[in-house]
Amino acid sequence: MRRRYSSYSHSTPFVLVLCVLPRRTGNPTRGAFERAVAAAEKAQYCVAFSSGSAAISAVVHLLSPGEKVLSIDDVYGGTQRYLRRIASPRMGIEVDFVDFADNQAVLGKLLADADKTKLIWLETPTNPTLKVTDIEKVATITKRFNASALLAVDNTFCSPYFQNPLEHGADVVVHSVTKYIGGHSDVVMGAVCTNDAEVYEQLRFFQNGMGAVPSPFDCYLAHRGLKTLHVRMEAAARNAHAIALFLEDHEGVTKVVYPGLKSHPQHDIASRQQNGYGAMITFYCVGGREQSGIVLKNVFALAESLGAVESLAECPSLMTHASVPDDQRALLGIDDTLIRLSVGIESCADLVADLDSVLNAAVKSTKQTSFLPSTTVDDGGEDGGGYWDW
C-alpha cells in the first residue's frame, strides 16, 4: 500500500518523535530557535510563544487564584493592562505595583503578603522612563524574605546581548522577540528563559495547552535575526549614546533619560549590571503637546514598536501607555511631552540632523501644529496603544 506522509505522521504508534508531533507541540525550527535563545540568555531552557504578551501570560499562569504578583510600577502598558484588567479580575490574581527604587516599600510589600506573593515582576530598564533596578539586590531580598516567590525580569530593552538577568539571580527572563531579537519589524513572537526544570515543564505545558505557539516560519525569521543581534545592538547603542549627548545640550529638550548618561539616577547600577546601555532614549520636549507633535510627525517613523534596524519614535501617553490610568501616568511622569526613541543603525549624523531640525521647529512654534487625538481608546493591540488622528 502507498503511504501518505504529512508533517504530523508517525512511523509507529509506540514511539513519538518530537519532529513529527503536531506543530503546536513542537517542530525542529522552533526547537533550534529556543536552544539558540537559551544559549544567548545563558539559560538551560527556553520556551517560544506567539507574542511577548503570550509569554507574559504564560508566566502569570504559574500562579493560582488568590496568589499575588508584585510588579514594578513603571511597566510596559500591555503588561500592566494584562495584570490589572485580565489576571486580577478574571483569574483572581492579586496585583500590586511598587517603585523598586524604594527598598523599604518593596520589603514592606514582601513582608506584608509573604504567603501570597509568588511572582516578582521587573523591567529593567523600564518602559518608557528607563528606570534601572538592581536585579541582584531584589533577588537577594526576595530569597531572604520570600523564598517561594519567583523573580521574573522582562529583558526586552537590553536583549540577551547587553544583559543576562539569570546571572544576577532572576528565576525567569521574558522577551518580546518582536523587538531586538527579531530586529527587522517582520515577526511577532515572545520567549521565556529559565534554569528551573519545574518551571520549564509548566511553561512547556502552557505553550502546548493554550496554543500560543509561533509558526515555524516566524521561528526561522527570529532565529535569523538573532544571528545579527550583536552587530545591531553595538551599532544602535553607539548611535543612541551620541544622540543622548546631543539631546542633553539642545534647547528644545527639558530632560533626557538614558542609562549611559552620568545624569541618569541609576547610571552606576546600569554600568555594573549591563554589558551596554542599549538603544532606547526617553526625553521631554519643550512646550506641550503641540511641540511634541511637531517632533513626532516629522522625525523617524511614528510607531509603537521598537528594537528594529530603523529608528522609531512614539508618544507613550497616547500610544503604548494609553491604557495606563491617568493618575498613574501622572505619577510616573508619562505626559504628552515625553517622547520615546528606539534608535536604529542608520547614519548617526543623519539622525542627529533630523532631530536638530524638528526640535528647532518645536522651539519656534507657537501652537501652529495640533497633536490632539480625536479619541484615545484601549484597542487591546500588541503594544497596547490607542487610536489617534492628526
Side-chain angles (χ1 to χ4, degrees):
M1 177 184 290
R2 180 181 178 185
R3 291 188 178 185
R4 295 172 182 250
Y5 292 92
S6 71
S7 62
Y8 50 84
S9 64
H10 298 269
S11 59
T12 169
F14 306 111
V15 180
L16 298 182
V17 182
L18 176 62
C19 66
V20 295
L21 286 173
R23 286 194 179 96
R24 191 182 75 252
T25 301
N27 62 75
T29 310
R30 190 202 308 168
F33 171 73
E34 289 173 334
R35 290 190 295 273
V37 174
E41 199 55 87
K42 301 181 180 178
Q44 293 186 48
Y45 312 105
C46 173
V47 183
F49 293 89
S50 56
S51 71
S53 294
I56 293 167
S57 173
V59 173
V60 176
H61 269 77
L62 294 169
L63 277 64
S64 299
E67 294 180 336
K68 185 175 182 178
V69 178
L70 184 61
S71 172
I72 192 167
D73 56 352
D74 179 30
V75 69
Y76 162 56
T79 302
Q80 68 79 32
R81 179 186 56 205
Y82 172 75
L83 293 174
R84 184 171 53 85
R85 297 178 58 181
I86 299 176
S88 182
R90 302 289 183 177
M91 299 169 56
I93 304 295
E94 295 186 29
V95 181
D96 208 349
F97 296 94
V98 65
D99 182 0
F100 273 75
D102 187 340
N103 293 331
Q104 291 303 313
V106 173
L107 183 57
K109 296 287 186 181
L110 281 174
L111 293 176
D113 296 302
D115 294 337
K116 296 168 61 177
T117 302
K118 299 300 180 182
L119 179 63
I120 313 298
W121 188 274
L122 288 183
E123 283 182 12
T124 179
T126 60
N127 182 3
T129 63
L130 302 181
K131 290 192 289 187
V132 176
T133 300
D134 190 326
I135 299 171
E136 186 174 353
K137 179 180 289 187
V138 174
T140 300
I141 293 174
T142 301
K143 295 300 182 286
R144 180 178 179 184
F145 295 103
N146 192 347
S148 64
L150 294 173
L151 173 58
V153 177
D154 187 329
N155 198 31
T156 298
F157 270 24
C158 275
S159 86
Y161 185 70
F162 279 147
Q163 183 171 261
N164 300 116
L166 295 177
E167 294 199 321
H168 298 284
D171 300 296
V172 173
V173 177
V174 178
H175 283 282
S176 173
V177 174
T178 311
K179 312 306 192 297
Y180 284 109
I181 292 177
H184 294 80
S185 300
D186 56 6
V187 64
V188 176
M189 277 181 61
V192 182
C193 298
T194 184
N195 288 326
D196 189 312
E198 183 178 351
V199 169
Y200 167 71
E201 291 299 333
Q202 292 184 71
L203 291 171
R204 182 66 79 186
F205 175 73
F206 296 156
Q207 178 199 49
N208 183 54
M210 294 190 292
V213 296
S215 72
F217 186 64
D218 282 348
C219 292
Y220 158 75
L221 290 175
H223 199 175
R224 175 211 60 182
L226 183 64
K227 293 175 182 178
T228 61
L229 179 66
H230 61 297
V231 179
R232 292 183 286 105
M233 293 304 295
E234 289 284 359
R238 281 196 304 270
N239 282 351
H241 196 271
I243 289 172
L245 292 171
F246 161 77
L247 292 173
E248 266 199 322
D249 291 333
H250 201 288
E251 62 176 334
V253 176
T254 60
K255 181 182 178 181
V256 182
V257 185
Y258 178 67
L261 296 176
K262 292 183 178 180
S263 59
H264 191 287
Q266 294 93 39
H267 173 73
D268 291 341
I269 297 175
S271 299
R272 180 176 69 251
Q273 180 171 277
Q274 301 170 200
N275 301 314
Y277 299 114
M280 300 300 299
I281 300 174
T282 288
F283 72 93
Y284 292 81
C285 181
V286 68
R289 183 181 294 187
E290 291 79 11
Q291 285 67 41
S292 63
I294 292 174
V295 174
L296 289 164
K297 289 199 297 180
N298 296 285
V299 69
F300 305 169
L302 180 65
E304 294 181 345
S305 194
L306 60 99
V309 291
E310 67 271 10
S311 295
L312 305 174
E314 69 125 353
C315 180
S317 67
L318 298 176
M319 297 169 71
T320 53
H321 290 67
S323 62
V324 178
D326 292 345
D327 58 342
Q328 183 69 9
R329 283 206 306 269
L331 184 65
L332 295 171
I334 304 174
D335 61 32
D336 293 344
T337 68
L338 186 156
I339 294 174
R340 191 193 73 183
L341 300 180
S342 172
V343 179
I345 64 173
E346 306 95 332
S347 162
C348 187
D350 287 347
L351 297 177
V352 169
D354 289 345
L355 283 164
D356 187 41
S357 175
V358 295
L359 287 169
N360 287 336
V363 171
K364 296 177 181 178
S365 71
T366 55
K367 297 186 178 180
Q368 295 175 349
T369 303
S370 175
F371 187 59
L372 297 174
S374 57
T375 181
T376 301
V377 298
D378 182 10
D379 68 355
E382 164 71 11
D383 289 289
Y387 297 107
W388 57 92
D389 186 9
W390 302 121

